[in-house]
Amino acid sequence: MGRGIMIQGKIWGNTQAIIQTPMIEFHRIWIHPNMQCSMHMHRHKWNAFYVVAGQLDIIVQKNDYDLMDTTVLGAGDFTTVPPGEYHMFRSIAGFVEAFELYYPEGLSEDIVRQSVGGVADE
């Protein structure tokens, strides 16, 4: 599982920090079958998940309406959770390998456009 990068044990499996800076964190995670993380939220960071193998459920308690939203991710699937929304992940069907990314809210409004795009100019 590791190539010299420390792997940290969790109650639900293991996590390996690949990149950790004040602006971004990128982790590889392994989740044991029938395990889940705590229901939690990040005040200022987006939380993104990309599944390499297995099936990962992402459960989000939506802030703008009374709903617990469940997104089922399989290999090659990706989803994000905005800052301020309580969420958790769980493995039901078996072992899961995934990547988890944390990045601050400010980066999502980074682009400044000079044009609208459309049909290419000749």
Side-chain angles (χ1 to χ4, degrees):
M1 278 195 283
R3 293 187 177 111
I5 300 173
M6 191 169 95
I7 295 174
Q8 181 180 16
K10 298 284 190 172
I11 195 165
W12 44 261
N14 295 294
T15 183
Q16 179 184 39
I18 296 170
I19 297 171
Q20 283 185 300
T21 74
M23 295 299 289
I24 192 168
E25 287 188 42
F26 185 58
H27 295 251
R28 187 177 201 169
I29 59 177
W30 296 270
I31 305 153
H32 297 301
N34 302 311
M35 297 300 286
Q36 64 187 31
C37 73
S38 64
M39 181 65 80
H40 66 283
M41 68 116 160
H42 306 276
R43 290 187 180 134
H44 307 289
K45 291 181 182 175
W46 285 80
N47 198 182
F49 300 90
Y50 175 84
V51 173
V52 176
Q55 178 182 312
L56 186 64
D57 295 351
I58 308 296
I59 298 97
V60 179
Q61 182 179 333
K62 302 304 288 180
N63 288 336
D64 49 354
Y65 47 93
D66 187 23
L67 176 70
M68 292 294 277
D69 181 59
T70 301
T71 301
V72 179
L73 302 175
D77 291 338
F78 175 83
T79 194
T80 59
V81 179
E85 289 191 337
Y86 280 91
H87 62 284
M88 62 187 284
F89 58 74
R90 71 177 173 206
S91 165
I92 300 296
F95 184 79
V96 175
E97 180 181 354
F99 289 103
E100 186 175 19
L101 176 67
Y102 305 92
Y103 57 97
E105 173 70 26
L107 291 177
S108 62
E109 298 299 325
D110 185 58
I111 192 166
V112 177
R113 297 185 193 282
Q114 281 191 322
S115 65
V116 216
V119 177
D121 296 332
E122 290 188 32

